[in-house]
Amino acid sequence: MKTRKLGNQGLEVSELGLGCMGMSFGYGTPADENQMVKLIHEAIDLGVTFFDTAEVYGPYANEELVGKALTPFKGRVAIATKFGFDLSKKGTSGLDSRPASIRSAVEGSLKRLQIDKIDLLYQHRVDPNVPIEDVAGTVKGLISEGKVAHFGLSEAGVQTIRRAHAIQPLTALQSEYSLWWREPEPEIFPTLEELGIGFVPFSPLGKGFLTGKITANTQFEASDFRNAVPRFSEENRSANQGILELLDQLADLHKATPAQIALAWVLDQKPWIVPIPGTTKSHRLKENLEAAKLELTKSDLEKINLEFSKISVKGERYPESSQKMIDR
Ligand SMILES: NC(=O)c1ccc[n+]([C@@H]2O[C@H](COP(=O)([O-])OP(=O)(O)OC[C@H]3O[C@@H](n4cnc5c(N)ncnc54)[C@H](OP(=O)(O)O)[C@@H]3O)[C@@H](O)[C@H]2O)c1
């Protein structure tokens, strides 16, 4: 698989990474750990060198899984993890990016991941109670101590990105981006381009919706967080089916799948974008990685832009409680 550069500090990774969250967290019952270790090894065999996890996924279980799977590949792959949630509160309901908390999160992540240095450390959500300069300064210290190689933010707004970057150059911003969430395009992308910061889109498959495998009749497990996401209400899933018609048409044209079209489109937007689709299934991993070989034409891209400009996607992408934590 080809590689792409993230930021200007020397991080180069496979053009598609692997999002590991869903293996342990968020999408219902965690998958079998041994199977997921195998899946991660399969991803390496297929050329993936970039793996995404976070302290809060589990909490801890996902970092432990990723650490176990990637130990034999130390130095040959890049692991990205995240700090910033108060884990004494349930799930992702509280934030904590105080310097001492960042330091203790990093010590825990290093242990669970079984590494001496985190390749890319993101603040998971901007904490309104801690100036971003203090966060960036703390990560800068961790970089100079050799515990962290690169710094990133997630779901941060333009001003926060600029302020953080002035203290410690950012390697990547990780925020949601896909055919049904293009909000980063007008302001975030020009800022990243100007500052030389890479972009790592999360949920590039629209949390599964853009693959066409989710319909209004799909029943999610009780612990699947999509039950609380307005965009995934039965009514909105039904209202948003129109998006899939276009993806189906393009998939037929290219002898590809809707998931591959969705990923190829993200890859085509900028050369400094590295999407991290997640899956727990071997056949889907292969399917998703094949998207890197798919070439959408200029006319495909124009058609997508035109057709999507006519569609208004129904439903917020996060529940109200999480909504206030994004774009700060
Ligand atoms: N920074 C943040 O705040 C944040 C937030 C969310 C996610 N993330 C990161 O981004 C990664 C990816 O995001 P995501 O997992 O939310 O969303 P995603 O990659 O858009 O979609 C994942 C979902 O799609 C399904 N899927 C994957 N490939 C498929 C295919 N080819 N056909 C049909 N279904 C398919 C998966 O189910 P199966 O497992 O059944 O295949 C899973 O339910 C996560 O793993 C995590 O590391 C970060």
Side-chain angles (χ1 to χ4, degrees), residues 18-23 27 52-54 57 62 82 85 122 124-125 154-155 174-176 201-209 211-214 224-226 257 259-260 263 276-281 283-285 287-288 318:
L18 181 62
C20 298
M21 176 188 80
M23 299 176 187
Y27 292 138
D52 190 78
T53 181
Y57 299 160
N62 197 244
K82 319 180 192 79
F85 283 107
Y122 299 100
H124 210 148
R125 288 288 181 274
S154 179
E155 289 288 346
Q174 178 178 133
S175 294
E176 183 161 356
F202 73 73
S203 305
L205 294 168
K207 301 180 172 69
F209 188 81
T211 69
K213 294 285 187 281
I214 294 173
D224 191 313
F225 93 108
R226 286 170 293 194
T257 66
Q260 290 170 335
L263 290 174
I276 47 166
T279 185
T280 53
K281 299 180 177 64
H283 68 282
R284 290 180 171 174
L285 173 73
E287 175 188 340
N288 296 347
Y318 270 111

